[in-house]
Each structure stands twice: as structure tokens, then as C-alpha cells.
Amino acid sequence: MALTQLQVRNAKPGSHSDGNGLLLRVSASGAKSWILRVQVDGKRKDIGLGSLDHVSLAEAREKARIERKAARDGVDLKVEAKKLKIASMTFKEAAESYLDHALPSLSNVKHQKQWRSTLKTYAYPTLGDLVVGKVDAPDIAEALKPIWKTKSETARRVRQRIATILDHAQAKGWRDREAPERALSTLLKPIKQKAKGNFPAMPYKQVPAFVSAMRAAKTTVGRDALLFAILTAARSQEVRGARRGEFDLEAGVWVVAAERMKKRRLHRVPLSSAAQAIVEAAFNRIGSDADALLFPGMKGKIMSDMTLGKVLKANGGDGFTVHGFRSSFRDWAAEEGYSRDWAESALAHVVKDQTEAAYRRTDFLEQRKPMMQAWADACEK
């Protein structure tokens, strides 16, 4: 027999049936809630429909009707509701989820405020109401274009933060792909860095002609060292201090110990075929001692940085610097649409943003292998 409003109001502790599996459950404390008892795959299942304080008798009957039909049709309404929530999750909701999760770990309150303020000012107006699973490169470009050239440093940071949020959304299952970094690079022209007075860089389009001139010149240890520095986008000191034991030619990787790196972090460098050929030639020259310098200077000591500078100048590179080839590589990578993360990892740059750094657990070695081969191929055209 169906319950009346009076019976519902005066119900004592226990379960009271309204028929068709709908129950009013009253706890010892007097709290009242609705339960629907159904059969799913031959098993009894109790489904909570809410408290009497929020769900009336009429509403409970309607909810029970919908749940019974779903059970007959084999539909799990909770799963469907979750799918619907995911399908409608906005970028702003995903961002706020990430901020609530990650920002408390930042001890720097200023950084926490910067994350929220930059997203609110530059990302939310364009991206905030978009479904996070559908945010793509054109959407991000639209958000960044107003500040891409006028506030370049802010634009870079906002781009990084948007990418971090999209990757967080992918990890949560709210989107099926990572941030569209490569596609975005084709829509936003690289922001040209102001040339540093002591590191003028050769435009990357001039690098192939320069490399060709060096290849045509006499083979020397200094020439090979500079070629190797260009092909690996490594710092001069890392190349000049390289020793045989740091190379695994079978894996095609050069491993630079943390103590030799500027930021004191171990750095792995995938070797292109051209770079590996230089290493193999050096092995034949220096012998089997693991401590032997790959490019020894006078009397077997570490080569002077001036040696590389002389090779650069002698082959038509006057006015540029050895370190500048790292910028040449970075500009090439951006123009070719390679991921910012891959390029920055190739340069052994440390992520400045503490929150983003905390989420990064890879140096993208496998992704960098084809990128460094492509760079070498571009240099040898």
C-alpha cells in the first residue's frame, strides 16, 4: 500500500514501503531518507534517492520511476551522470580543480596569486566556459594573441599554465589528449628574445651553410667539438668536459653527470647519427680510457673555450658566439612546431614554475630522439 503524506510525516524508525521497491528509511535519530530497492543482474541493489528534507514523496516516486526504468534497460544512472559531468566540464572548472590540488604545495604565496590572477585575466575570458575536453590550439591562440607580443613574458607563462591545466585534465580523464603544444606553435610566431650582449645567435637558417663550410675545412679536434656542440645544442663547457665514459653508443645517449651541469641536474642527450659519428671518430682517436676527454686541448687538458671561438670565426661565424647556437636550435624547434617541453629539456633548462616542475616526471628522452635527428638533418642540408 502506498504511503500517505501523514504516514511519511509520522513515520517511526525503521523501513516503510511505498510499493514498487520505494522505501522510506527512518534512522534511530529520526532522520528520514528515500531508498529504492531494485534487482540488477539478479542481485538486489539499494539506491539512495536523497533525504526527505530535500526530496518530497512525489519527487521520490518520480526518481524511483526513472531509476527502475534505467535498471530494466541496464543503465547505471550514476555512471551516466558522471559521464555527463565529464562531457560538460569547463576549462575554468578544470583549472580550479588543478589550483585547489596543486597550489597549496607552493610555499610562495606570490606565485599562488600569480597563477590565479593570470588565468582569471588572460585565460578565463576566452577559455573559461569552453568544455575542457574540446579546448584546442586555435582557442588557446585566441586567448593569447592580445598579449603575445605586447606582454611576451606574461604570455609565455599563461601558455605554460594553460598547458599544465590541460595535461591535468587529461590525467583526470576529462579530455583524451594532452595540450596541443605543437599545433599551437604553428599559430603563434615565436617571441623573439632580445639578444644578450655576449650571446649573439646565428639565425638558424644560416646554420646549414656554416656547418657545410666547417665540413669542407680541415678536420681538427676543435672543429669536431664545435660541430658536436651545434648538433647537441649543448653548452660549451659540457662539450669541452665530455669524457668517453659518459657515452653509451649502443643506446645512442650521452649522459652528463649532475656536477657538470649548470643547474646541477643529470642531463641525457640523444645522439643524432651525425653526432654519434663524431663520438665514434673521437673514440678511435683517444683510446679506451673512460676518463679520457672526448675533445682534449693542449697537453691533454680541457680545451679552451677560445678554441671553439676561433673555429667559429675562421669558418664565417664572426659576430656570433658558440653559446648562441643554443638559441639557433630553440628558434628552429619553435618554428618547426616541436613541443616547448621537448626543446627546453634538450637545452637542460630547469622549469622555473614550482607547480609545473612538481608535475613533470620525465625528461622526454624518447620524444627528443627524432627531434634531435631532425635538427641534425637541418644543420647538414
Side-chain angles (χ1 to χ4, degrees):
M1 182 179 293
L3 295 171
T4 65
Q5 293 285 5
L6 182 62
Q7 288 174 324
V8 169
R9 189 163 51 248
N10 297 329
K12 303 298 182 183
S15 294
H16 307 271
S17 175
D18 186 60
N20 294 319
L22 178 60
L23 303 173
L24 175 65
R25 185 168 292 170
V26 185
S27 68
S29 65
K32 299 175 181 179
S33 59
W34 297 105
I35 303 294
L36 176 65
R37 183 163 292 169
V38 295
Q39 290 285 329
V40 178
D41 295 329
K43 296 180 181 179
R44 195 184 80 180
K45 181 179 180 181
D46 286 352
I47 302 172
L49 302 181
S51 165
L52 179 62
D53 293 337
H54 303 292
V55 180
S56 68
L57 174 59
E59 290 171 334
R61 286 170 176 165
E62 177 60 17
K63 291 182 75 171
R65 183 188 67 79
I66 294 172
E67 288 282 2
R68 280 194 296 269
K69 183 178 186 304
R72 288 197 304 270
D73 295 342
V75 177
D76 189 325
L77 290 183
K78 289 185 178 180
V79 172
E80 292 303 311
K82 184 177 180 180
K83 289 180 180 178
L84 184 61
K85 176 64 176 174
I86 291 173
S88 61
M89 172 74 70
T90 66
F91 175 85
K92 183 177 180 180
E93 289 173 331
E96 292 299 320
S97 165
Y98 172 78
L99 295 176
D100 291 343
H101 172 75
L103 289 199
S105 64
L106 281 180
S107 58
N108 191 320
V109 177
K110 180 181 177 182
H111 287 170
Q112 293 184 18
K113 291 181 178 179
Q114 284 177 342
W115 262 85
R116 291 191 180 279
S117 65
T118 54
L119 289 173
K120 181 178 180 180
T121 303
Y122 303 113
Y124 289 172
T126 302
L127 306 176
D129 293 333
L130 298 182
V131 173
V132 72
K134 296 182 179 179
V135 171
D136 213 340
D139 305 313
I140 303 171
E142 187 68 24
L144 296 177
K145 277 180 180 177
I147 59 169
W148 190 246
K149 293 183 179 179
T150 58
K151 298 179 180 180
S152 58
E153 186 56 34
T154 299
R156 286 180 186 277
R157 290 179 180 176
V158 174
R159 176 178 175 172
Q160 291 172 359
R161 289 165 185 172
I162 290 172
T164 299
I165 288 163
L166 294 183
D167 288 345
H168 169 74
Q170 182 195 26
K172 286 286 189 178
W174 302 332
R175 60 185 280 125
D176 58 8
R177 60 193 185 282
E178 61 185 13
E181 284 291 283
R182 184 163 182 169
L184 185 58
S185 295
T186 67
L187 298 175
L188 295 172
K189 293 296 182 182
I191 302 172
K192 299 297 182 182
Q193 298 283 354
K194 292 182 179 179
K196 297 180 180 179
N198 56 336
F199 292 147
M202 180 181 292
Y204 73 88
K205 291 184 179 180
Q206 295 181 25
V207 174
F210 175 74
V211 169
S212 179
M214 278 207 300
R215 290 288 193 189
K218 180 181 178 181
T219 300
T220 65
V221 175
R223 187 210 71 160
D224 281 358
L226 181 55
L227 273 173
F228 187 73
I230 295 171
L231 295 172
T232 57
R235 296 181 179 90
S236 169
Q237 68 215 39
E238 295 156 12
V239 172
R240 291 181 291 109
R243 298 180 184 273
R244 177 174 180 134
E246 296 177 348
F247 294 87
D248 182 344
L249 293 187
E250 185 174 342
V253 177
W254 171 30
V255 181
V256 189
E259 58 267 24
R260 288 219 307 114
M261 296 298 298
K262 181 178 179 180
K263 297 298 183 180
R264 296 296 185 264
R265 292 180 60 179
L266 181 144
H267 181 46
R268 298 190 297 172
V269 183
L271 299 173
S272 62
S273 55
Q276 182 141 330
I278 293 174
V279 176
E280 291 172 348
F283 277 13
N284 292 332
R285 183 175 62 245
I286 65 177
S288 59
D289 184 357
D291 289 330
L293 288 164
L294 199 69
F295 306 110
M298 297 293 291
K299 298 181 180 179
K301 295 183 178 181
I302 291 181
M303 180 184 293
S304 166
D305 194 35
M306 292 179 61
T307 300
L308 299 186
K310 288 179 180 179
V311 175
L312 174 62
K313 186 175 181 179
N315 289 278
D318 193 18
F320 301 113
T321 63
V322 174
H323 191 92
F325 284 107
R326 286 166 56 82
S327 294
S328 305
F329 162 77
R330 187 64 184 87
D331 287 345
W332 169 86
E335 289 285 3
E336 291 297 313
Y338 284 98
S339 162
R340 168 184 57 84
D341 289 336
W342 303 357
E344 291 297 292
S345 291
L347 295 170
H349 284 168
V350 175
V351 179
K352 293 181 180 179
D353 188 281
Q354 296 180 38
T355 303
E356 184 179 355
Y359 268 76
R360 182 171 295 179
R361 294 287 184 267
T362 178
D363 63 357
F364 303 103
L365 179 68
E366 292 303 315
Q367 294 91 335
R368 285 190 286 123
K369 286 180 180 179
M371 179 179 70
M372 298 312 293
Q373 183 60 54
W375 166 241
D377 292 342
C379 291
E380 301 278 359
K381 285 196 298 187

